[in-house]
Amino acid sequence: MIRGRPILRSVGLFTALLIGLPACSVPRTPEARRIAPDGIPPFLQNQVKQRPVYLLRGPRLTPVLMPVPLSLSPEKTVEGLLDLLRTPLTVELRRSYASRLERLPNSIEGYDVKLNAVVGDLVTLDVTDSTGIDDQDPSALGQLVLTITSVPGFARVDFVKNGKRLSQVRTGFGVDQAFVATPVRKESFDQPIAVSHAPLFFVKNGRLRPIEVNFDGSDPSDSALYTAQLYLAALEDESNLEGAPAGYRSLLPGLDATITEDAVGNLVLSFGEKYRKLSSADQALAVGQIVQSLRLATQIPTLPTIALVVAGKTVGTLDPASYQDLVDSVVDSSEPTDVLDPTTTSTSAP
């Protein structure tokens, strides 16, 4: 019995110390109090992070890193993503990637996507008032599914229309079309392409020079025709030259240039009537921009003879190798380093 007294004294001393300490718990108040923003721990605050937002480049989807607001509320996070997809693109973003980047049109134009519910990792969207966003619109569906599931915690997306859940949706066009059961995961859609950063030939001081630009590129599995059409569109798009060194220009805008295939699969380059109004030197430079750029495309290992059509009439054939003499083999030392050294692709001197 005597041995127990020191233990009791220790317990009493410990209790006294606790009573004398300042309060460490949340103070008891009769009503709730608002905590100042700087008093909220960082891990509990809403955050804005760079995450991929999927935009349309023609019929394809491209991930573009953008500041995405992430909320403690899953519902607010999804609603923020929907607003982000509806917001018009900034001029800077179009210049940085390509002028043909697009988002879902806003609700006034017919696309009125609303959040229905968030349950666990499943996000359900209501497309009742939409036109086109249903099982027949894989581009719009892909934008929504891929953008939402890029946020950790969201893995599946379901769709409701007129009070009924869509049982399946289409995830591709043409030969790639496929219908998958809902809810949809990101794996159901074709892997999107990234923005291409590759050399294209432009004109400076009456010569051809390659510079690196961002444009609608193709992946290694694309056909030569599809690649050629994308390269031509990039050469016609003058916004691709914004930020390029002074003096670079393209002769192709306004010439109504198109690239098609003939019956046996050979490329056909066509120009409108305005092509005839160019000087012979500028005609050669305009064609040279195209053929020299295509010779740099990895999707076209060899560029065969191309048929030339002007204003609907076949003029003759083009030998891509003959335009090599138009390539300038000298680059001014004053130009930025992002201008490629054409000596890697040219064997002729100016």
Side-chain angles (χ1 to χ4, degrees):
M1 296 296 293
I2 296 176
R3 294 177 181 176
R5 290 178 181 176
I7 298 177
L8 292 176
R9 291 195 188 100
S10 299
V11 172
L13 179 61
F14 181 69
T15 303
L17 288 173
L18 287 178
I19 295 175
L21 288 174
C24 299
S25 61
V26 177
R28 296 180 179 179
T29 57
E31 57 185 14
R33 294 188 303 172
R34 183 180 298 276
I35 302 176
D38 56 2
I40 302 176
F43 68 91
L44 291 179
Q45 298 178 17
N46 297 339
Q47 301 181 31
V48 176
K49 290 188 175 182
Q50 292 286 334
R51 304 208 63 84
V53 174
Y54 288 80
L55 307 179
L56 294 173
R57 298 166 65 85
R60 311 180 73 168
L61 295 168
T62 297
V64 178
L65 287 178
M66 299 183 65
V68 173
L70 304 178
S71 173
L72 294 176
S73 165
E75 290 79 9
K76 288 185 178 180
T77 294
V78 175
E79 289 171 350
L81 290 172
L82 295 179
D83 289 339
L84 195 59
L85 285 172
R86 296 190 187 103
T87 304
L89 293 171
T90 63
V91 175
E92 291 75 16
L93 189 61
R94 288 185 179 276
R95 288 176 178 174
S96 300
Y97 287 88
S99 64
R100 286 169 295 281
L101 284 174
E102 298 175 3
R103 295 181 178 177
L104 289 174
N106 59 40
S107 58
I108 297 176
E109 297 174 21
Y111 292 93
D112 189 16
V113 183
K114 296 179 181 178
L115 173 64
N116 181 283
V118 178
V119 180
D121 67 354
L122 175 64
V123 175
T124 302
L125 301 178
D126 191 331
V127 295
T128 296
D129 297 327
S130 304
T131 58
I133 300 185
D134 54 19
D135 57 339
Q136 300 297 316
D137 196 341
S139 295
L141 292 170
Q143 271 194 286
L144 293 166
V145 172
L146 292 174
T147 298
I148 289 175
T149 57
S150 69
V151 177
F154 300 146
R156 301 172 298 157
V157 179
D158 222 341
F159 296 92
V160 173
K161 188 169 186 176
N162 296 321
K164 296 182 179 180
R165 173 175 166 269
L166 295 179
S167 60
Q168 61 180 9
V169 295
R170 191 167 79 173
T171 60
F173 286 111
V175 296
D176 296 325
Q177 70 175 341
F179 286 86
V180 299
T182 54
V184 189
R185 297 179 179 270
K186 61 182 179 181
E187 293 81 6
S188 299
F189 289 87
D190 295 335
Q191 289 299 312
I193 60 171
V195 175
S196 292
H197 187 69
L200 295 176
F201 277 88
F202 292 91
V203 177
K204 182 177 182 181
N205 298 330
R207 307 286 293 175
L208 295 175
R209 290 188 181 183
I211 57 175
E212 294 270 350
V213 298
N214 293 314
F215 69 102
D216 286 359
S218 55
D219 58 45
S221 64
D222 283 328
S223 66
L225 175 61
Y226 183 71
T227 300
Q229 291 172 339
L230 290 179
Y231 272 54
L232 175 58
L235 289 167
E236 291 179 315
D237 188 353
E238 293 178 295
S239 69
N240 285 327
L241 282 174
E242 295 177 5
Y248 282 83
R249 63 194 181 103
S250 176
L251 296 176
L252 298 177
L255 298 183
D256 298 325
T258 59
I259 294 181
T260 56
E261 282 184 341
D262 60 18
V264 294
N266 294 321
L267 295 180
V268 178
L269 175 60
S270 301
F271 290 102
E273 185 63 36
K274 290 184 179 180
Y275 175 82
R276 298 186 186 277
K277 299 180 181 180
L278 297 178
S279 65
S280 58
D282 281 350
Q283 287 180 353
L285 287 170
V287 175
Q289 277 193 258
I290 299 171
V291 297
Q292 288 298 325
S293 297
L294 295 183
R295 293 181 73 181
L296 298 180
T298 58
Q299 295 83 358
I300 308 177
T302 59
L303 191 62
T305 300
I306 302 174
L308 176 62
V309 176
V310 178
K313 297 181 179 181
T314 301
V315 175
T317 57
L318 305 172
D319 181 6
S322 65
Y323 293 87
Q324 187 69 25
D325 291 337
L326 297 176
V327 176
D328 199 338
S329 60
V330 177
V331 176
D332 297 336
S333 59
S334 61
E335 291 181 350
T337 54
D338 63 343
V339 179
L340 298 183
D341 182 355
T343 56
T344 59
T345 57
S346 174
T347 58
S348 60

